[in-house]
Amino acid sequence: MAVRAVLRMGDPRLLEPSRPVERFDTPELHALIADMDDTMKALNGAGLAAPQIGVGLQVAVFGVAFNPRYPDAEPVPYTILINPLLTPVGNQMEEGWEGCLSVPGMRGLVPRYRSLRYQGCDQFGKAIDRSVTGFHARVVQHECDHLAGILYPMRIRDLRNFGYNEELFPGEDVIEE
Ligand code: NI
């Protein structure tokens, strides 16, 4: 389909809560997902939420294949997640570095629930119900935050842990989502 422009922090559309999808398996929904997929892949992202391309619907795509350049990033299955509901499992939080295609070139240390259950459905309306931990749980929380109008810098506890990739991690490749 098409690689779309990704909105950057400062664009007010990134701060608006998204609406639930009401009709599944429609040409419009498939076209949106194809564009999101093309955009995420073109930018080497780990995930993308519809508001990042200016569409205020509760749709996120994410997935991380094992990549030897990111040995710490556990693989996350490719997933299209619509109308998600997150339920933390326990209240353990952990800090981890995140980047975002809407905050390019930067990274911040963000607290997230270590374990959670997520429910929702795919583009055909088929139910998704998973319990996950660690990096997978982090990616889901990051994407679902986009659907609520929240960008990761808003969750950083200590802004000394926010900066440019090249300064924080010289010479390293980083993942944005
Ligand atoms: Ni993001």
Side-chain angles (χ1 to χ4, degrees):
M1 297 292 290
V3 174
R4 304 266 292 260
V6 175
L7 308 185
R8 294 192 300 173
M9 184 168 66
D11 189 307
R13 289 172 286 179
L14 290 170
L15 304 177
E16 287 171 14
S18 295
R19 305 181 307 281
V21 170
E22 289 173 357
R23 295 176 60 224
F24 296 88
D25 198 11
T26 62
E28 295 78 14
L29 185 58
H30 292 305
L32 169 64
I33 289 164
D35 282 1
M36 290 174 65
D37 212 36
D38 288 349
T39 305
M40 180 174 89
K41 285 178 177 143
L43 299 172
N44 256 319
L48 187 74
Q52 292 181 277
I53 58 168
V55 176
L57 289 172
Q58 292 180 17
V59 179
V61 298
F62 53 86
V64 182
F66 176 76
N67 185 327
R69 289 188 302 164
Y70 314 120
D72 296 337
E74 314 146 41
V76 177
Y78 176 78
T79 302
I80 294 158
L81 181 62
I82 299 176
N83 298 350
L85 173 68
L86 304 192
T87 310
V89 175
N91 49 19
Q92 191 188 344
M93 309 286 286
E94 63 188 12
E95 302 260 355
W97 290 97
E98 293 184 17
C100 181
L101 295 169
S102 294
V103 192
M106 301 195 77
R107 220 144 173 79
L109 198 59
V110 182
R112 298 289 187 188
Y113 288 104
R114 180 173 151 65
S115 301
L116 61 82
R117 176 184 184 189
Y118 67 94
Q119 294 158 282
C121 46
D122 70 9
Q123 68 273 43
F124 302 103
K126 183 168 169 282
I128 293 170
D129 187 344
R130 294 177 182 157
S131 293
V132 298
T133 59
F135 184 61
H136 189 157
R138 176 170 297 278
V139 169
V140 172
Q141 288 169 88
H142 179 112
E143 296 313 328
C144 291
D145 263 1
H146 278 297
L147 305 180
I150 298 167
L151 298 171
Y152 81 81
M154 296 155 70
R155 294 202 182 273
I156 297 171
R157 286 178 171 145
D158 179 348
L159 285 168
R160 285 174 291 195
N161 296 315
F162 182 44
Y164 292 95
N165 290 325
E166 288 157 9
E167 312 302 333
L168 286 165
F169 302 102
E172 282 185 34
D173 292 309
V174 297
I175 301 177
E176 293 179 325
E177 56 196 279

